[in-house]
Amino acid sequence: MNAGLTIKHYIEENAARIEAELLESLPGIWGIPETLRESMMYSLMAGGKRLRPMLVLATVEALRGSTEAAMPVACAIEMIHTYSLIHDDLPAMDNDDYRRGKLTNHKVYGEAMAILAGDALLTHAFYSIVQAYRAYEVPAERIVDIIEDLSRLAGASGMVGGQAADMQGEQGITKLEELEYIHLHKTSDLVVFSLKAGGHLAGATAKQQQALEKFGYKIGLAFQIQDDILDVIGDESVLGKPVKSDEKQQKVTYPYFLGIEASKDKVRELTEQGKRAIIDAHFPYSDRLLELADFLTQRDR
Amino acid sequence: MNAGLTIKHYIEENAARIEAELLESLPGIWGIPETLRESMMYSLMAGGKRLRPMLVLATVEALRGSTEAAMPVACAIEMIHTYSLIHDDLPAMDNDDYRRGKLTNHKVYGEAMAILAGDALLTHAFYSIVQAYRAYEVPAERIVDIIEDLSRLAGASGMVGGQAADMQGEQGITKLEELEYIHLHKTSDLVVFSLKAGGHLAGATAKQQQALEKFGYKIGLAFQIQDDILDVIGDESVLGKPVKSDEKQQKVTYPYFLGIEASKDKVRELTEQGKRAIIDAHFPYSDRLLELADFLTQRDR
C-alpha cells in the first residue's frame, strides 16, 4: 500500500509499475508480424499519465484487494485508451500529426497499419482481462462482469458513441447538453469502467459499486472541464501542447458556454460530489482514491 | 435438429435464423448515436453466407447442445467478420467501393463513421458473447474460454496479423509459405474459432476440441484456395463479383503457385483430411459438420 507516499510519488511509482507490465503485455512467443507489434508498442509506450489503470489499482486498494491480480485488467484499460487515441488521430478523424510531442501512429507506420494496430490493441485488451483469471485465479464470474462492463462502456453506447457524436457535432454543437453527452461517453465512461473493474476484482458490494460509478461520472466530467479550462488559460510550456488549440479548431468547450470562473466552480463542485459518494460508501481505505480525485481535477497539465 | 433437411435448406434456414438474431443484436434501449447504429447495421445486414455462425451452430448440434444458447456467440463471430470487412475495405487498406454488389460502408457513411462502426462491432461482439451467460446460463468458465480464444484468433497473432501481413506483402509475396501464413490467419483462424466456440458451449472433450481445430484449419484453407480457384475460372454472373480480379490487382494466389488442377486436388485433399479428423473423434451427430465441409469447398460462388 505504501501509505506513507505522497500522491505525487504514489502516481510515479504506479505509473512505472504499469509501464513495466505493458512492456510484457504482448507475449513474445506469438507469431505477430513484426511491424504490427512495433506499431502497437509504439503507441502503448508513448507516455501518458496512465490514469485509468491507476484508478483500477486505487480502487482495488480501497477494498484491500490484490493489485497484482488487477494488473492485467489495468493494462487492458490502457490498451483500450491507446487504441482510441490511434484511431482518433487518423486523417479521417481528427487528423493529428503529433500527440504528446511524438509523431502519431499513422505518421510513423502509415494509415493501414495504424488502423490494424488499433484493432489489435482493442482485441488484445480482452485477452489481457482473461489473464487475471488464468494467472491469478480471479473467479470467472467476476471476469465476465468486467468484460460486460468494458464492452458496453467502450462500445457503441459508450466511448465509440461519444466519438461518433463528436465527429458529427463538430460543426453544430449549440447546447451544453450535447457537449455533456460527448464528454460523458468519450471520457467518463472509461473512468467509470476503471473504477467498476477495480470493484469487481476486489469484491465490492452493490452499494460500493454504485458509489464508484457516481464518483467516476463526477470526476470524469470534472477532469474534462479542467482540460477545457487548461486549454484556455494553461501555460503552453507546462502543458506540452499549444494552448487555445480548441478555440483555433473552433471546438465548443465548457468555458465557451459558462465562462472560466463558473467552469472552475463546476470542477470543484463535481469533485466534492464525487468524493462525498466514496466517503459515504465506507471503503476500508479510500485515501488514494480521494487524493487522485483532487490530483486529477486540480492539475495544471 | 431437422435431420431431414437437405444441406441447402439447412443453410438457408439457419441463415434466416441468424439474421433474425442479428437484427435484434443492438439493444434498442441503448443511447447509440443514430448514424453509428445505422452504419453498424448496414454492414451487419448486408447479406453474406453467415458461414461462421453456422459453424458454431453445427458444432453445437454435433455435440447435441443447445443452439439457442449458442446464438449470442454465433452473432458475435458475424460481428467480428463484419468489422474486419468494413476496415479492410477502407481507402487506406483495400480501397473497395463495392462489396456483395452494395456500396461499402465508408462510401455510404464516410471514413470516420466506418472506422467507428468497425470498432463498435468488434467491441459489441464481446458483449454478445457474455449474453450466452446472462440469458442462457452458459457457465462463466466456458464464456471466459470462448473470449480468450476469440481475442487470440481475431487479434494481433490471428486475423489482424493476417491482414497486416497481407498489407505488407502485397508487392512482394514470393513463396507459398507467405501466402499460407496470410490465409491461415485472415481466414482459417476465425473458422477455427467458430468451431472451438461451439465446442466450448456444448462441452466438447479435449480430444474433440483438437479434432475441431484440425478440421477448421483444413477446411479454412480449402475454402480459401477454392476462393482463389473461383476467381480464375468462376462464372462472373454466378459469383457476383468480377472474375480475375485478383490477377488484375496482381494478387498472388494458390493457382499462381500450383496451377488450377493441383489447386483443385489440394482442396479435395484438405477437405478429406478435415472430415477424417471429425469422424475419428466420434461426435454424437456430425452429419451437418461434414456436409458443411463439402458444401464450403465444392461451392461455385
Side-chain angles (χ1 to χ4, degrees), chain A residues 9-23 45 49-50 54 71:
Chain A
H9 283 112
Y10 172 88
I11 287 173
E12 282 170 7
E13 194 168 271
N14 271 318
R17 208 176 144 204
I18 290 157
E19 295 197 355
E21 290 279 334
L22 287 172
L23 264 179
M45 304 312 294
K49 308 182 195 78
R50 314 303 187 188
M54 211 159 309
M71 255 327 158

Side-chain angles (χ1 to χ4, degrees), chain A residues 78 167 249 269 295:
Chain A
E78 194 69 7
M167 286 288 122
Q249 290 174 33
E269 186 194 333
F295 179 85

Side-chain angles (χ1 to χ4, degrees), chain A residues 31-33 36 116, chain B residues 88 153-169 173 178-187 189:
Chain A
I32 302 173
L36 177 61
L116 293 171
Chain B
D88 285 4
L153 291 166
S157 58
M159 185 185 71
V160 175
Q163 178 66 7
D166 197 10
M167 285 287 124
Q168 292 190 278
I173 293 181
E178 291 168 25
L179 184 65
E180 285 200 341
Y181 178 93
I182 293 168
H183 283 341
L184 178 68
H185 294 298
K186 271 191 76 165
T187 305
D189 277 349

Side-chain angles (χ1 to χ4, degrees), chain A residues 30-31 33 35 83 87 92-93 111-112 116 119 122-123 127 131 133-134 144-145 148 151 157 160-161 168 181, chain B residues 30-31 33 35 83 87 92-93 111-112 116 119 122-123 127 131 133-134 141 144-145 148 151 157 160-161 168 181:
Chain A
W30 289 15
T35 310
Y83 116 74
H87 282 190
M93 309 270 264
E111 277 187 63
L116 293 171
D119 293 345
L122 166 51
T123 309
Y127 182 85
Q131 300 323 301
Y133 165 77
R134 288 271 176 257
V144 171
D145 286 342
E148 186 175 42
S151 59
S157 58
V160 174
Q168 293 190 276
Y181 178 92
Chain B
W30 291 17
T35 311
Y83 115 74
H87 282 189
M93 308 271 262
E111 277 188 63
L116 293 171
D119 294 346
L122 166 50
T123 309
Y127 183 86
Q131 300 323 301
Y133 165 77
R134 287 272 175 257
E141 288 77 9
V144 170
D145 285 342
E148 186 175 41
S151 59
S157 58
V160 175
Q168 292 190 278
Y181 178 93

Side-chain angles (χ1 to χ4, degrees), chain A residues 36 39-40 83 86 105 112-122, chain B residues 160:
Chain A
L36 177 61
S39 170
M40 293 167 77
Y83 116 74
I86 296 174
N105 196 293
M113 200 53 73
I115 294 167
L116 293 171
D119 293 345
L121 283 167
L122 166 51
Chain B
V160 175

Side-chain angles (χ1 to χ4, degrees), chain A residues 205-223:
Chain A
T205 63
K207 192 174 163 237
Q208 286 168 333
Q209 283 289 25
Q210 281 165 16
L212 288 166
E213 189 168 316
K214 182 168 181 188
F215 176 69
Y217 282 119
K218 297 290 182 186
I219 65 163
L221 184 54
F223 179 82

